[in-house]
Amino acid sequence: MSLIHLLSREVRPERVERPVLQYGHAAQSKKGEDFVLVKTDCQRVPGDGSSTFGVFAIFDGHNGAAAAIYSKENLVNDVMGAVPSGLSREEWLALLPRALVAGFVKADKEFQRREQSSGTTATFVVIDGLTVTAASVGDSRCILDSEGAVITLTVDHRLEVNEEERVRVTASGGEVGRLSTAAGAEVGPLRCWPGGLCLSRSIGDMDVGEFIVPVPYVKQIKVPASGGRLIIATDGVWDALNSEQAAKYARGLPPEIAAKQIVKEALRSRGLRDDTTCLVVDIVPPPVRPTAPVAKKQSRILKVLDFRHSFNVSKLTRKPAGTRRQVEEIFEEGSAMLADRFVVVYILELGRMDFGVLKCAICQEMLTVSSDDENDGSFFSLSPDESWEGPFLCKTCKLKKDAMEGKLCKQRLQSQTNGA
């Protein structure tokens, strides 16, 4: 079936057994630049309660809180704006990783228009049923603790620990090095110059050069039917605790208390050197429905099931390796190049082909095909019922893409060489 038919068909109700999401967060503030986002009532199809999904995110601002606040208020809409309407749940989940890339880049572009120097990390997690999709830039982290096994769903974009990012920054024309003292000694963590930021990816940071990009690492998994626990925290936690320690301190506790315990242990280990924030989310299996033969004992059985339901996730214990149900890895991509991430399929409605009307893959603005717009595909060679793979970018987003990939820096160097 062609994608044009998928978009035009009537959306059918989808029966999905959805787990219960229980959450809690805790924080100790030093600079007031950490922010938490929790939205459990997002809907893929507006007005359709069966399409509900949850968003849980942490933003760790630097050089002020403006970028973190902007991202908290706008990132959900920026991501959902990159998702076509009328998709089935399976299609939405398949497109979500690319929509997250589009949303992060759009948030960065729009915030930089405000000409504020603030920046922020972003760890943004979407939970739809048992499918978890995590997108991140910066050094906040998300882990999954499921049946005693701990899995990291993000990548740290610190230049100090990420060699691939150091190579990317230098290949794009940036410099990586430490601060130098008057005596010539190098001190502190590795930083990107100009600007001196320790991170290689963030939202905002317009004053630190185009080598700091907002393109997120994205990982999508399906947790076992037994559920699991997500721990999302800023570097105030991870500078003090490793993933296994954080998971261990949280086991056996409900989410709110678990988050407080993790923050407490981080402060005990390192003290309050930075904003320290933790968000714990339990993915709890839905209560088992009694079968028809035991209908007469329904109230008693449900009472027992409700008791188990309340304590399943909080009592995470290690099972023998052979008995653990596996986490299914669906998608993973961390390239900073939009060309690798943005093979977005655009559905061309019948009849619109003649007008050449499209949306920019990043800002979602309606475009009319002209010499000012750029695309990587052969748009005019398609028949009306075919899909076309872009990305199709407006002029300003094309400039943004070229800047992030170091092309503008190379062009400037080439111009300087030719001028000399």
Side-chain angles (χ1 to χ4, degrees):
M1 179 182 293
S2 68
L3 289 175
I4 188 171
H5 290 128
L6 291 175
L7 276 188
S8 61
R9 74 185 182 184
E10 180 181 358
V11 179
R12 297 181 178 87
E14 297 172 89
R15 296 184 61 183
V16 178
E17 286 295 327
R18 297 191 176 276
V20 177
L21 301 180
Q22 301 173 346
Y23 59 90
H25 81 274
Q28 285 290 324
S29 177
K30 185 176 180 66
K31 301 177 182 178
E33 295 174 336
D34 280 4
F35 293 86
V36 172
L37 171 66
V38 173
K39 288 180 68 68
T40 58
D41 57 352
C42 299
Q43 292 183 343
R44 173 172 49 83
V45 181
D48 181 1
S50 67
S51 68
T52 300
F53 62 93
V55 172
F56 301 85
I58 276 184
F59 306 95
D60 181 359
H62 47 263
N63 201 13
I69 294 173
Y70 180 88
S71 299
K72 176 181 177 179
E73 293 176 349
N74 293 277
L75 194 51
V76 172
N77 289 336
D78 289 341
V79 171
M80 294 307 295
V83 179
S85 60
L87 298 182
S88 68
R89 179 173 181 270
E90 289 73 19
E91 293 159 352
W92 133 261
L93 290 174
L95 185 63
L96 181 56
R98 286 168 285 188
L100 286 163
V101 174
F104 272 58
V105 177
K106 181 181 180 181
D108 176 79
K109 175 188 171 185
E110 295 300 322
F111 179 74
Q112 289 193 0
R113 284 181 174 176
R114 300 186 173 197
E115 298 185 348
Q116 294 177 287
S117 58
S118 175
T120 187
T121 73
T123 299
F124 188 93
V125 181
V126 177
I127 305 177
D128 187 330
L130 294 175
T131 302
V132 176
T133 310
S136 63
V137 292
D139 58 0
S140 297
R141 188 185 308 168
C142 174
I143 65 172
L144 170 70
D145 185 8
S146 180
E147 298 191 354
V150 178
I151 300 173
T152 303
L153 303 183
T154 54
V155 166
D156 288 352
H157 294 128
R158 277 188 181 179
L159 291 166
E160 186 71 34
V161 300
N162 195 318
E163 182 179 0
E164 289 185 7
E165 288 295 277
R166 296 198 296 269
V167 171
R168 178 187 66 78
V169 168
T170 54
S172 298
E175 296 183 10
V176 176
R178 306 182 193 278
L179 288 171
S180 296
T181 65
E186 292 187 341
V187 296
L190 288 174
R191 301 173 184 271
C192 176
W193 305 96
L197 191 66
C198 301
L199 306 174
S200 59
R201 303 194 196 189
S202 68
I203 293 175
D205 289 311
M206 67 172 296
D207 60 336
V208 298
E210 59 233 19
F211 318 112
I212 309 302
V213 301
V215 182
Y217 169 90
V218 180
K219 186 165 187 174
Q220 187 177 79
I221 63 168
K222 185 174 182 179
V223 302
S226 56
R229 164 168 283 176
L230 294 172
I231 300 174
I232 312 168
T234 60
D235 62 338
V237 168
W238 305 119
D239 285 344
L241 307 176
N242 61 39
S243 299
E244 290 283 350
Q245 288 174 323
K248 178 181 177 181
Y249 289 133
R251 289 187 185 127
L253 302 173
E256 188 80 28
I257 298 176
K260 291 179 180 179
Q261 184 65 28
I262 290 172
V263 169
K264 178 181 177 181
E265 294 294 339
L267 296 179
R268 177 183 298 174
S269 172
R270 195 167 178 264
L272 185 60
R273 301 185 185 183
D274 194 3
D275 293 340
T276 304
T277 304
C278 180
L279 173 62
V280 174
V281 185
D282 284 348
I283 305 173
V284 184
V288 179
R289 299 180 183 276
T291 57
V294 294
K296 293 182 179 180
K297 299 181 181 181
Q298 184 175 6
S299 58
R300 181 181 176 185
I301 292 176
L302 282 179
K303 185 175 181 180
V304 174
L305 290 173
D306 285 341
F307 176 82
R308 293 177 179 176
H309 168 74
S310 301
F311 288 89
N312 264 346
V313 173
S314 63
K315 292 189 175 181
L316 291 169
T317 56
R318 292 186 178 275
K319 296 183 179 182
T323 65
R324 293 179 190 165
R325 281 163 282 195
Q326 297 296 312
V327 173
E328 178 185 350
E329 295 192 5
I330 301 172
F331 178 91
E332 181 179 15
E333 179 59 72
S335 172
M337 302 299 174
L338 288 182
D340 298 334
R341 309 294 297 277
F342 246 14
V343 187
V344 181
V345 178
Y346 289 87
I347 314 305
L348 306 180
E349 296 178 9
L350 198 61
R352 292 179 63 186
M353 188 73 168
D354 296 335
F355 300 100
V357 178
L358 294 170
K359 285 185 178 181
C360 171
I362 294 176
C363 67
Q364 300 300 307
E365 293 180 1
M366 300 302 295
L367 304 172
T368 300
V369 176
S370 69
S371 59
D372 288 336
D373 300 319
E374 303 282 349
N375 69 280
D376 298 333
S378 180
F379 173 73
F380 291 104
S381 66
L382 299 177
S383 61
D385 60 345
E386 288 183 296
S387 62
W388 171 75
E389 293 188 353
F392 195 96
L393 304 177
C394 68
K395 187 175 182 179
T396 58
C397 288
K398 179 63 164 57
L399 288 173
K400 175 79 174 175
K401 173 179 176 290
D402 289 346
M404 291 191 301
E405 296 178 355
K407 294 179 182 178
L408 297 186
C409 178
K410 293 176 182 178
Q411 290 173 7
R412 288 195 296 267
L413 292 174
Q414 186 64 40
S415 298
Q416 293 173 3
T417 303
N418 294 339

Short mmCIF file of all heavy atoms in Angstrom, two decimals, residues 73-104:
data_model
loop_
_atom_site.label_atom_id
_atom_site.label_comp_id
_atom_site.label_asym_id
_atom_site.label_seq_id
_atom_site.Cartn_x
_atom_site.Cartn_y
_atom_site.Cartn_z
N GLU A 73 9.14 24.59 27.10
CA GLU A 73 7.84 25.10 26.65
C GLU A 73 7.52 24.78 25.20
O GLU A 73 6.34 24.79 24.82
CB GLU A 73 7.81 26.62 26.85
CG GLU A 73 7.84 27.04 28.31
CD GLU A 73 7.90 28.55 28.49
OE1 GLU A 73 8.13 29.26 27.48
OE2 GLU A 73 7.73 29.02 29.63
N ASN A 74 8.52 24.48 24.38
CA ASN A 74 8.29 24.38 22.93
C ASN A 74 8.66 23.05 22.28
O ASN A 74 8.20 22.77 21.17
CB ASN A 74 9.05 25.49 22.21
CG ASN A 74 8.51 26.87 22.52
OD1 ASN A 74 7.54 27.32 21.93
ND2 ASN A 74 9.13 27.54 23.48
N LEU A 75 9.49 22.24 22.95
CA LEU A 75 10.04 21.08 22.26
C LEU A 75 8.97 20.05 21.89
O LEU A 75 9.04 19.44 20.81
CB LEU A 75 11.15 20.44 23.10
CG LEU A 75 12.04 19.41 22.39
CD1 LEU A 75 12.59 19.96 21.09
CD2 LEU A 75 13.18 18.98 23.30
N VAL A 76 7.99 19.84 22.75
CA VAL A 76 6.93 18.87 22.42
C VAL A 76 6.22 19.28 21.13
O VAL A 76 6.03 18.46 20.22
CB VAL A 76 5.93 18.74 23.57
CG1 VAL A 76 4.73 17.87 23.14
CG2 VAL A 76 6.58 18.11 24.80
N ASN A 77 5.83 20.54 21.04
CA ASN A 77 5.13 21.01 19.83
C ASN A 77 6.03 20.95 18.61
O ASN A 77 5.56 20.64 17.50
CB ASN A 77 4.63 22.43 20.04
CG ASN A 77 3.47 22.50 21.02
OD1 ASN A 77 2.75 21.52 21.22
ND2 ASN A 77 3.28 23.65 21.64
N ASP A 78 7.32 21.24 18.77
CA ASP A 78 8.24 21.19 17.64
C ASP A 78 8.39 19.75 17.12
O ASP A 78 8.47 19.53 15.91
CB ASP A 78 9.61 21.74 18.04
CG ASP A 78 9.59 23.25 18.24
OD1 ASP A 78 8.65 23.89 17.73
OD2 ASP A 78 10.51 23.77 18.89
N VAL A 79 8.43 18.79 18.03
CA VAL A 79 8.53 17.39 17.61
C VAL A 79 7.24 16.94 16.93
O VAL A 79 7.26 16.35 15.84
CB VAL A 79 8.85 16.49 18.82
CG1 VAL A 79 8.74 15.01 18.43
CG2 VAL A 79 10.25 16.79 19.35
N MET A 80 6.10 17.21 17.56
CA MET A 80 4.83 16.77 16.99
C MET A 80 4.52 17.48 15.67
O MET A 80 3.82 16.93 14.81
CB MET A 80 3.70 16.99 17.99
CG MET A 80 3.81 16.12 19.24
SD MET A 80 3.97 14.36 18.85
CE MET A 80 2.38 14.04 18.07
N GLY A 81 5.04 18.68 15.50
CA GLY A 81 4.84 19.38 14.24
C GLY A 81 5.52 18.71 13.06
O GLY A 81 5.18 18.96 11.90
N ALA A 82 6.50 17.85 13.34
CA ALA A 82 7.21 17.14 12.28
C ALA A 82 6.60 15.78 11.98
O ALA A 82 7.13 15.02 11.18
CB ALA A 82 8.68 16.96 12.68
N VAL A 83 5.46 15.47 12.62
CA VAL A 83 4.80 14.18 12.41
C VAL A 83 3.55 14.38 11.55
O VAL A 83 2.66 15.14 11.94
CB VAL A 83 4.40 13.55 13.76
CG1 VAL A 83 3.68 12.21 13.52
CG2 VAL A 83 5.62 13.35 14.64
N PRO A 84 3.47 13.75 10.38
CA PRO A 84 2.25 13.89 9.56
C PRO A 84 1.03 13.35 10.29
O PRO A 84 1.13 12.47 11.15
CB PRO A 84 2.57 13.02 8.32
CG PRO A 84 4.06 12.88 8.30
CD PRO A 84 4.48 12.90 9.75
N SER A 85 -0.13 13.88 9.96
CA SER A 85 -1.36 13.40 10.58
C SER A 85 -1.82 12.11 9.91
O SER A 85 -1.42 11.80 8.79
CB SER A 85 -2.46 14.47 10.46
OG SER A 85 -2.71 14.75 9.09
N GLY A 86 -2.66 11.36 10.60
CA GLY A 86 -3.27 10.17 10.01
C GLY A 86 -2.43 8.93 10.05
O GLY A 86 -2.79 7.92 9.43
N LEU A 87 -1.30 8.92 10.76
CA LEU A 87 -0.46 7.74 10.80
C LEU A 87 -1.00 6.72 11.80
O LEU A 87 -1.60 7.08 12.82
CB LEU A 87 0.97 8.11 11.20
CG LEU A 87 1.74 9.05 10.28
CD1 LEU A 87 3.15 9.25 10.82
CD2 LEU A 87 1.78 8.53 8.86
N SER A 88 -0.77 5.46 11.53
CA SER A 88 -1.08 4.42 12.51
C SER A 88 -0.04 4.48 13.61
O SER A 88 0.99 5.17 13.50
CB SER A 88 -1.04 3.04 11.85
OG SER A 88 0.30 2.71 11.49
N ARG A 89 -0.27 3.76 14.69
CA ARG A 89 0.69 3.76 15.80
C ARG A 89 2.05 3.24 15.34
O ARG A 89 3.09 3.78 15.72
CB ARG A 89 0.16 2.91 16.96
CG ARG A 89 1.13 2.85 18.15
CD ARG A 89 0.51 2.14 19.34
NE ARG A 89 1.43 2.11 20.46
CZ ARG A 89 2.32 1.13 20.67
NH1 ARG A 89 2.38 0.09 19.83
NH2 ARG A 89 3.14 1.16 21.72
N GLU A 90 2.06 2.18 14.55
CA GLU A 90 3.32 1.61 14.08
C GLU A 90 4.08 2.62 13.22
O GLU A 90 5.31 2.76 13.32
CB GLU A 90 3.06 0.33 13.29
CG GLU A 90 2.60 -0.86 14.12
CD GLU A 90 1.16 -0.72 14.60
OE1 GLU A 90 0.40 0.08 14.01
OE2 GLU A 90 0.79 -1.39 15.58
N GLU A 91 3.36 3.34 12.36
CA GLU A 91 4.00 4.32 11.49
C GLU A 91 4.52 5.50 12.31
O GLU A 91 5.61 6.02 12.04
CB GLU A 91 3.01 4.80 10.43
CG GLU A 91 2.63 3.72 9.44
CD GLU A 91 1.31 4.01 8.73
OE1 GLU A 91 0.61 4.97 9.13
OE2 GLU A 91 0.98 3.26 7.81
N TRP A 92 3.76 5.92 13.30
CA TRP A 92 4.18 7.02 14.17
C TRP A 92 5.45 6.67 14.93
O TRP A 92 6.40 7.47 15.00
CB TRP A 92 3.03 7.39 15.10
CG TRP A 92 3.32 7.56 16.56
CD1 TRP A 92 3.11 6.63 17.53
CD2 TRP A 92 3.83 8.73 17.22
NE1 TRP A 92 3.47 7.15 18.76
CE2 TRP A 92 3.91 8.43 18.60
CE3 TRP A 92 4.22 9.98 16.79
CZ2 TRP A 92 4.37 9.34 19.55
CZ3 TRP A 92 4.68 10.90 17.74
CH2 TRP A 92 4.75 10.56 19.09
N LEU A 93 5.52 5.45 15.46
CA LEU A 93 6.71 5.04 16.19
C LEU A 93 7.92 4.92 15.26
O LEU A 93 9.05 5.23 15.66
CB LEU A 93 6.46 3.70 16.90
CG LEU A 93 5.50 3.76 18.09
CD1 LEU A 93 5.21 2.35 18.61
CD2 LEU A 93 6.06 4.64 19.21
N ALA A 94 7.69 4.50 14.01
CA ALA A 94 8.79 4.40 13.06
C ALA A 94 9.31 5.77 12.66
O ALA A 94 10.52 5.96 12.43
CB ALA A 94 8.34 3.62 11.82
N LEU A 95 8.43 6.76 12.58
CA LEU A 95 8.82 8.10 12.18
C LEU A 95 9.34 8.94 13.34
O LEU A 95 10.06 9.92 13.14
CB LEU A 95 7.63 8.82 11.53
CG LEU A 95 7.89 10.21 10.94
CD1 LEU A 95 8.89 10.12 9.79
CD2 LEU A 95 6.59 10.84 10.46
N LEU A 96 9.01 8.56 14.56
CA LEU A 96 9.33 9.36 15.73
C LEU A 96 10.81 9.72 15.85
O LEU A 96 11.14 10.88 16.17
CB LEU A 96 8.84 8.65 17.00
CG LEU A 96 9.06 9.38 18.33
CD1 LEU A 96 8.43 10.77 18.31
CD2 LEU A 96 8.51 8.54 19.48
N PRO A 97 11.76 8.79 15.64
CA PRO A 97 13.17 9.19 15.76
C PRO A 97 13.56 10.36 14.86
O PRO A 97 14.30 11.26 15.27
CB PRO A 97 13.93 7.91 15.37
CG PRO A 97 12.99 6.81 15.75
CD PRO A 97 11.63 7.33 15.42
N ARG A 98 13.03 10.38 13.63
CA ARG A 98 13.35 11.48 12.73
C ARG A 98 12.60 12.75 13.11
O ARG A 98 13.12 13.86 12.95
CB ARG A 98 13.03 11.06 11.29
CG ARG A 98 14.04 10.07 10.74
CD ARG A 98 13.58 9.43 9.45
NE ARG A 98 12.55 8.42 9.69
CZ ARG A 98 12.08 7.61 8.75
NH1 ARG A 98 12.54 7.71 7.51
NH2 ARG A 98 11.18 6.71 9.04
N ALA A 99 11.40 12.60 13.66
CA ALA A 99 10.67 13.78 14.13
C ALA A 99 11.39 14.42 15.32
O ALA A 99 11.38 15.65 15.48
CB ALA A 99 9.24 13.39 14.52
N LEU A 100 12.01 13.61 16.16
CA LEU A 100 12.77 14.14 17.28
C LEU A 100 13.96 14.96 16.79
O LEU A 100 14.26 16.03 17.34
CB LEU A 100 13.24 13.00 18.19
CG LEU A 100 12.15 12.37 19.05
CD1 LEU A 100 12.58 11.01 19.57
CD2 LEU A 100 11.79 13.29 20.21
N VAL A 101 14.63 14.48 15.76
CA VAL A 101 15.74 15.25 15.19
C VAL A 101 15.23 16.60 14.68
O VAL A 101 15.80 17.65 14.96
CB VAL A 101 16.42 14.46 14.05
CG1 VAL A 101 17.48 15.32 13.35
CG2 VAL A 101 17.07 13.20 14.59
N ALA A 102 14.13 16.57 13.93
CA ALA A 102 13.56 17.80 13.39
C ALA A 102 13.16 18.76 14.50
O ALA A 102 13.42 19.97 14.43
CB ALA A 102 12.35 17.48 12.51
N GLY A 103 12.54 18.22 15.56
CA GLY A 103 12.10 19.07 16.66
C GLY A 103 13.25 19.72 17.39
O GLY A 103 13.19 20.91 17.74
N PHE A 104 14.32 18.97 17.66
CA PHE A 104 15.48 19.53 18.34
C PHE A 104 16.13 20.63 17.51
O PHE A 104 16.48 21.70 18.04
CB PHE A 104 16.50 18.42 18.61
CG PHE A 104 16.32 17.68 19.91
CD1 PHE A 104 15.13 17.02 20.19
CD2 PHE A 104 17.32 17.63 20.85
CE1 PHE A 104 14.95 16.33 21.38
CE2 PHE A 104 17.17 16.94 22.04
CZ PHE A 104 15.97 16.29 22.30
#
